[in-house]
């Protein structure tokens, strides 16, 4: 069974960089898309971006200038950095596995990130 | 359009049938997947590939699509189905996009 475990700083100040890690256990890593999604308090899901199995990444245009998603295939880990955070970036952040059917079939547990001065 | 539109809230009487719709131009080209989210939990994939259920998802949950609309149907709604439901697909640029979500209340 696939399991995604994520971690990272939970409290940031404005202008800092958010860094999250997602470790993948139990299945092939390189064959899938690795996504980050966030959910602001009381709001809906927002796709941040993904790392593609062929290499490279694809980002939400609204965040593209500030976000970087990368992978370490030797450790089966996915990373996300979001620079110059503001209070609007306060959210629960999820990592999720995407497949070629365009589904997000496994999700991490989520982690709340709060941006506050 | 890169947007997926869902009704914000829907209610259904216990044991009745409810349909939750997701509308967007990109659904002509890409199939939608559906996610159930309960308070404090991560989303759970419940429908993919238009009408396929992952293991463990009850058969009362089904999906369909026509043109620019994809739908999630719950036949014989149970109290456990009360949750937020989100559709997801890709837009013409290949970016993923979520619908705004539908809060389902089981009365």
């Amino acid at each position: 069974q696939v399991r995604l475990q994520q971690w990272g700083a939970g409290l940031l100040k404005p202008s800092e960089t958010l860094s999250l890690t997602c470790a993948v256990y139990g299945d092939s890593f390189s064959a899938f898309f690795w996504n980050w999604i966030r959910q602001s308090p009381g709001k809906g899901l927002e796709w941040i971006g993904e790392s593609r199995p062929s290499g490279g990444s694809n980002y939400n245009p609204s965040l593209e200038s500030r976000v970087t998603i990368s992978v370490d295939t030797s450790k089966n880990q996915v990373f996300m950095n979001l620079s110059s955070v503001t209070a609007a970036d306060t959210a629960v952040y999820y990592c999720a596995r995407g497949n070629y059917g365009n589904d997000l079939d496994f999700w991490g547990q989520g982690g709340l990130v709060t941006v506050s001065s | 359009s890169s947007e997926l539109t869902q009704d914000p809230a829907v209610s259904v009487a216990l044991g009745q049938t409810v349909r939750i719709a997701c509308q967007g131009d990109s659904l002509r080209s890409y199939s939608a997947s559906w996610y159930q989210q309960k308070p404090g939990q991560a989303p759970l994939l419940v429908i993919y590939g238009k009408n396929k259920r992952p293991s463990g998802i009850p058969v009362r949950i089904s999906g369909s699509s026509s043109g620019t609309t994809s739908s999630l149907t719950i036949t014989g709604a149970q109290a456990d189905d009360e949750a937020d439901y989100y559709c997801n697909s890709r837009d013409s640029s290949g970016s993923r996009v979520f619908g705004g979500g539908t809060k389902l209340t089981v009365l």
Side-chain angles (χ1 to χ4, degrees):
Chain A
Q1 179 73 335
V2 177
R3 183 169 63 92
L4 281 63
Q5 183 174 358
Q6 54 184 103
W7 64 87
L11 180 61
L12 295 172
K13 298 183 186 303
S15 81
E16 292 184 334
T17 295
L18 167 63
S19 296
L20 298 174
T21 300
C22 176
V24 180
Y25 303 96
D27 203 345
S28 172
F29 181 83
S30 299
F32 296 95
F33 299 76
W34 298 101
N35 291 256
W36 289 94
I37 296 109
R38 70 181 183 180
Q39 186 170 34
S40 300
K43 303 297 184 182
L45 301 172
E46 180 183 25
W47 180 73
I48 298 170
E50 67 186 351
S51 171
R52 294 179 170 271
S54 57
S57 301
N58 185 26
Y59 301 117
N60 185 324
S62 69
L63 297 169
E64 187 167 15
S65 63
R66 298 193 292 130
V67 66
T68 302
I69 294 174
S70 59
V71 301
D72 183 336
T73 55
S74 68
K75 296 182 177 180
N76 283 10
Q77 291 181 350
V78 191
F79 310 100
M80 186 201 68
N81 287 334
L82 182 66
S83 64
S84 305
V85 298
T86 70
D89 296 309
T90 294
V92 174
Y93 286 76
Y94 297 98
C95 58
R97 190 181 86 168
N99 55 42
Y100 279 98
N102 286 327
D103 319 309
L104 298 167
D105 53 3
F106 291 96
W107 293 65
Q109 79 276 18
L112 175 63
V113 175
T114 301
V115 181
S116 174
S117 57
Chain B
S1 169
S2 61
E3 295 182 348
L4 296 179
T5 302
Q6 297 181 239
D7 289 331
V10 171
S11 62
V12 60
L14 187 68
Q16 297 302 301
T17 297
V18 61
R19 177 174 292 181
I20 299 170
C22 173
Q23 195 278 331
D25 290 344
S26 65
L27 297 179
R28 289 190 185 276
S29 304
Y30 297 99
S31 62
S33 51
W34 287 90
Y35 303 84
Q36 177 192 72
Q37 186 181 35
K38 297 180 178 179
Q41 297 183 16
L44 174 70
L45 177 67
V46 294
I47 291 290
Y48 67 99
K50 294 187 179 179
N51 191 18
K52 297 178 182 178
R53 284 181 305 275
S55 173
I57 303 303
V59 297
R60 65 178 180 272
I61 296 178
S62 62
S64 61
S65 68
S66 178
T68 61
T69 301
S70 290
S71 299
L72 177 79
T73 299
I74 303 176
T75 303
Q78 302 299 306
D80 189 53
D81 298 324
E82 187 161 290
D84 295 328
Y85 290 86
Y86 294 90
C87 59
N88 175 253
S89 186
R90 291 193 183 272
D91 65 18
S92 57
S93 72
S95 295
R96 287 189 181 274
V97 59
F98 285 95
T102 298
K103 181 178 181 60
L104 175 65
T105 299
V106 179
L107 303 173

